[in-house]
PDB file of all heavy atoms in Angstrom:
ATOM      1  N   ALA O 459      -3.746   1.848  -2.812  1.00 92.00           N
ATOM      2  CA  ALA O 459      -4.148   2.796  -3.853  1.00 92.00           C
ATOM      3  C   ALA O 459      -4.773   4.048  -3.265  1.00 92.00           C
ATOM      4  O   ALA O 459      -5.604   3.965  -2.356  1.00 92.00           O
ATOM      5  CB  ALA O 459      -5.118   2.129  -4.822  1.00 92.00           C
ATOM      6  N   THR O 460      -4.382   5.185  -3.755  1.00 91.00           N
ATOM      7  CA  THR O 460      -4.840   6.545  -3.420  1.00 91.00           C
ATOM      8  C   THR O 460      -4.317   7.046  -2.092  1.00 91.00           C
ATOM      9  O   THR O 460      -4.567   8.202  -1.733  1.00 91.00           O
ATOM     10  CB  THR O 460      -6.389   6.691  -3.417  1.00 91.00           C
ATOM     11  OG1 THR O 460      -6.941   6.101  -2.238  1.00 91.00           O
ATOM     12  CG2 THR O 460      -7.015   6.083  -4.658  1.00 91.00           C
ATOM     13  N   LEU O 461      -3.611   6.227  -1.338  1.00 89.00           N
ATOM     14  CA  LEU O 461      -3.084   6.655  -0.040  1.00 89.00           C
ATOM     15  C   LEU O 461      -1.649   7.164  -0.205  1.00 89.00           C
ATOM     16  O   LEU O 461      -0.985   6.891  -1.202  1.00 89.00           O
ATOM     17  CB  LEU O 461      -3.119   5.500   0.960  1.00 89.00           C
ATOM     18  CG  LEU O 461      -4.498   4.883   1.230  1.00 89.00           C
ATOM     19  CD1 LEU O 461      -4.387   3.786   2.270  1.00 89.00           C
ATOM     20  CD2 LEU O 461      -5.489   5.943   1.670  1.00 89.00           C
ATOM     21  N   PRO O 462      -1.141   7.914   0.780  1.00 90.00           N
ATOM     22  CA  PRO O 462       0.242   8.408   0.683  1.00 90.00           C
ATOM     23  C   PRO O 462       1.267   7.283   0.546  1.00 90.00           C
ATOM     24  O   PRO O 462       2.365   7.506   0.029  1.00 90.00           O
ATOM     25  CB  PRO O 462       0.431   9.169   1.998  1.00 90.00           C
ATOM     26  CG  PRO O 462      -0.946   9.573   2.410  1.00 90.00           C
ATOM     27  CD  PRO O 462      -1.839   8.457   1.965  1.00 90.00           C
ATOM     28  N   THR O 463       0.919   6.082   1.003  1.00 91.00           N
ATOM     29  CA  THR O 463       1.837   4.946   0.951  1.00 91.00           C
ATOM     30  C   THR O 463       1.661   4.098  -0.313  1.00 91.00           C
ATOM     31  O   THR O 463       2.185   2.977  -0.387  1.00 91.00           O
ATOM     32  CB  THR O 463       1.638   4.050   2.182  1.00 91.00           C
ATOM     33  OG1 THR O 463       0.241   3.680   2.263  1.00 91.00           O
ATOM     34  CG2 THR O 463       2.041   4.781   3.451  1.00 91.00           C
ATOM     35  N   GLN O 464       0.937   4.620  -1.305  1.00 94.00           N
ATOM     36  CA  GLN O 464       0.693   3.847  -2.530  1.00 94.00           C
ATOM     37  C   GLN O 464       1.998   3.384  -3.162  1.00 94.00           C
ATOM     38  O   GLN O 464       2.964   4.134  -3.256  1.00 94.00           O
ATOM     39  CB  GLN O 464      -0.092   4.678  -3.541  1.00 94.00           C
ATOM     40  CG  GLN O 464      -0.303   3.966  -4.877  1.00 94.00           C
ATOM     41  CD  GLN O 464      -1.171   4.757  -5.833  1.00 94.00           C
ATOM     42  OE1 GLN O 464      -2.197   5.319  -5.433  1.00 94.00           O
ATOM     43  NE2 GLN O 464      -0.784   4.826  -7.093  1.00 94.00           N
ATOM     44  N   GLN O 465       2.015   2.122  -3.608  1.00 95.00           N
ATOM     45  CA  GLN O 465       3.145   1.551  -4.318  1.00 95.00           C
ATOM     46  C   GLN O 465       2.645   0.874  -5.585  1.00 95.00           C
ATOM     47  O   GLN O 465       1.579   0.248  -5.591  1.00 95.00           O
ATOM     48  CB  GLN O 465       3.874   0.520  -3.461  1.00 95.00           C
ATOM     49  CG  GLN O 465       4.544   1.071  -2.220  1.00 95.00           C
ATOM     50  CD  GLN O 465       5.117  -0.043  -1.369  1.00 95.00           C
ATOM     51  OE1 GLN O 465       4.467  -0.568  -0.489  1.00 95.00           O
ATOM     52  NE2 GLN O 465       6.357  -0.407  -1.656  1.00 95.00           N
ATOM     53  N   THR O 466       3.418   0.987  -6.654  1.00 96.00           N
ATOM     54  CA  THR O 466       3.066   0.359  -7.926  1.00 96.00           C
ATOM     55  C   THR O 466       4.269  -0.393  -8.462  1.00 96.00           C
ATOM     56  O   THR O 466       5.376   0.142  -8.489  1.00 96.00           O
ATOM     57  CB  THR O 466       2.610   1.411  -8.955  1.00 96.00           C
ATOM     58  OG1 THR O 466       1.498   2.136  -8.423  1.00 96.00           O
ATOM     59  CG2 THR O 466       2.194   0.748 -10.260  1.00 96.00           C
ATOM     60  N   VAL O 467       4.042  -1.621  -8.877  1.00 96.00           N
ATOM     61  CA  VAL O 467       5.075  -2.440  -9.504  1.00 96.00           C
ATOM     62  C   VAL O 467       4.604  -2.769 -10.912  1.00 96.00           C
ATOM     63  O   VAL O 467       3.506  -3.304 -11.093  1.00 96.00           O
ATOM     64  CB  VAL O 467       5.322  -3.737  -8.701  1.00 96.00           C
ATOM     65  CG1 VAL O 467       6.258  -4.668  -9.463  1.00 96.00           C
ATOM     66  CG2 VAL O 467       5.894  -3.422  -7.334  1.00 96.00           C
ATOM     67  N   THR O 468       5.406  -2.459 -11.911  1.00 97.00           N
ATOM     68  CA  THR O 468       5.048  -2.743 -13.296  1.00 97.00           C
ATOM     69  C   THR O 468       5.879  -3.895 -13.831  1.00 97.00           C
ATOM     70  O   THR O 468       7.038  -4.077 -13.457  1.00 97.00           O
ATOM     71  CB  THR O 468       5.249  -1.507 -14.188  1.00 97.00           C
ATOM     72  OG1 THR O 468       6.619  -1.096 -14.109  1.00 97.00           O
ATOM     73  CG2 THR O 468       4.360  -0.359 -13.733  1.00 97.00           C
ATOM     74  N   ALA O 469       5.284  -4.676 -14.722  1.00 97.00           N
ATOM     75  CA  ALA O 469       5.950  -5.841 -15.285  1.00 97.00           C
ATOM     76  C   ALA O 469       5.170  -6.258 -16.533  1.00 97.00           C
ATOM     77  O   ALA O 469       4.414  -5.453 -17.102  1.00 97.00           O
ATOM     78  CB  ALA O 469       6.000  -6.977 -14.255  1.00 97.00           C
ATOM     79  N   THR O 470       5.358  -7.481 -16.943  1.00 98.00           N
ATOM     80  CA  THR O 470       4.515  -8.103 -17.958  1.00 98.00           C
ATOM     81  C   THR O 470       3.840  -9.300 -17.321  1.00 98.00           C
ATOM     82  O   THR O 470       4.205  -9.728 -16.216  1.00 98.00           O
ATOM     83  CB  THR O 470       5.337  -8.576 -19.163  1.00 98.00           C
ATOM     84  OG1 THR O 470       6.229  -9.620 -18.733  1.00 98.00           O
ATOM     85  CG2 THR O 470       6.129  -7.436 -19.788  1.00 98.00           C
ATOM     86  N   LEU O 471       2.876  -9.857 -18.023  1.00 98.00           N
ATOM     87  CA  LEU O 471       2.199 -11.029 -17.472  1.00 98.00           C
ATOM     88  C   LEU O 471       3.201 -12.152 -17.195  1.00 98.00           C
ATOM     89  O   LEU O 471       3.115 -12.846 -16.185  1.00 98.00           O
ATOM     90  CB  LEU O 471       1.113 -11.510 -18.436  1.00 98.00           C
ATOM     91  CG  LEU O 471       0.276 -12.693 -17.967  1.00 98.00           C
ATOM     92  CD1 LEU O 471      -0.496 -12.368 -16.708  1.00 98.00           C
ATOM     93  CD2 LEU O 471      -0.687 -13.136 -19.083  1.00 98.00           C
ATOM     94  N   GLY O 472       4.178 -12.283 -18.067  1.00 98.00           N
ATOM     95  CA  GLY O 472       5.156 -13.341 -17.900  1.00 98.00           C
ATOM     96  C   GLY O 472       6.129 -13.125 -16.762  1.00 98.00           C
ATOM     97  O   GLY O 472       6.694 -14.087 -16.231  1.00 98.00           O
ATOM     98  N   THR O 473       6.339 -11.871 -16.377  1.00 98.00           N
ATOM     99  CA  THR O 473       7.317 -11.573 -15.312  1.00 98.00           C
ATOM    100  C   THR O 473       6.663 -11.090 -14.028  1.00 98.00           C
ATOM    101  O   THR O 473       7.352 -10.766 -13.062  1.00 98.00           O
ATOM    102  CB  THR O 473       8.316 -10.508 -15.789  1.00 98.00           C
ATOM    103  OG1 THR O 473       7.601  -9.285 -16.087  1.00 98.00           O
ATOM    104  CG2 THR O 473       9.064 -10.959 -17.031  1.00 98.00           C
ATOM    105  N   LEU O 474       5.336 -11.038 -14.000  1.00 97.00           N
ATOM    106  CA  LEU O 474       4.630 -10.435 -12.865  1.00 97.00           C
ATOM    107  C   LEU O 474       4.862 -11.202 -11.559  1.00 97.00           C
ATOM    108  O   LEU O 474       5.068 -10.594 -10.504  1.00 97.00           O
ATOM    109  CB  LEU O 474       3.132 -10.341 -13.154  1.00 97.00           C
ATOM    110  CG  LEU O 474       2.315  -9.535 -12.150  1.00 97.00           C
ATOM    111  CD1 LEU O 474       2.734  -8.071 -12.169  1.00 97.00           C
ATOM    112  CD2 LEU O 474       0.822  -9.652 -12.443  1.00 97.00           C
ATOM    113  N   ALA O 475       4.817 -12.510 -11.607  1.00 95.00           N
ATOM    114  CA  ALA O 475       4.987 -13.299 -10.383  1.00 95.00           C
ATOM    115  C   ALA O 475       6.369 -13.065  -9.776  1.00 95.00           C
ATOM    116  O   ALA O 475       6.508 -12.913  -8.559  1.00 95.00           O
ATOM    117  CB  ALA O 475       4.775 -14.779 -10.679  1.00 95.00           C
TER     118      ALA O 475
END
Side-chain angles (χ1 to χ4, degrees):
T460 76
L461 301 182
T463 54
Q464 176 176 317
Q465 295 174 269
T466 302
V467 172
T468 59
T470 65
L471 183 62
T473 62
L474 189 65

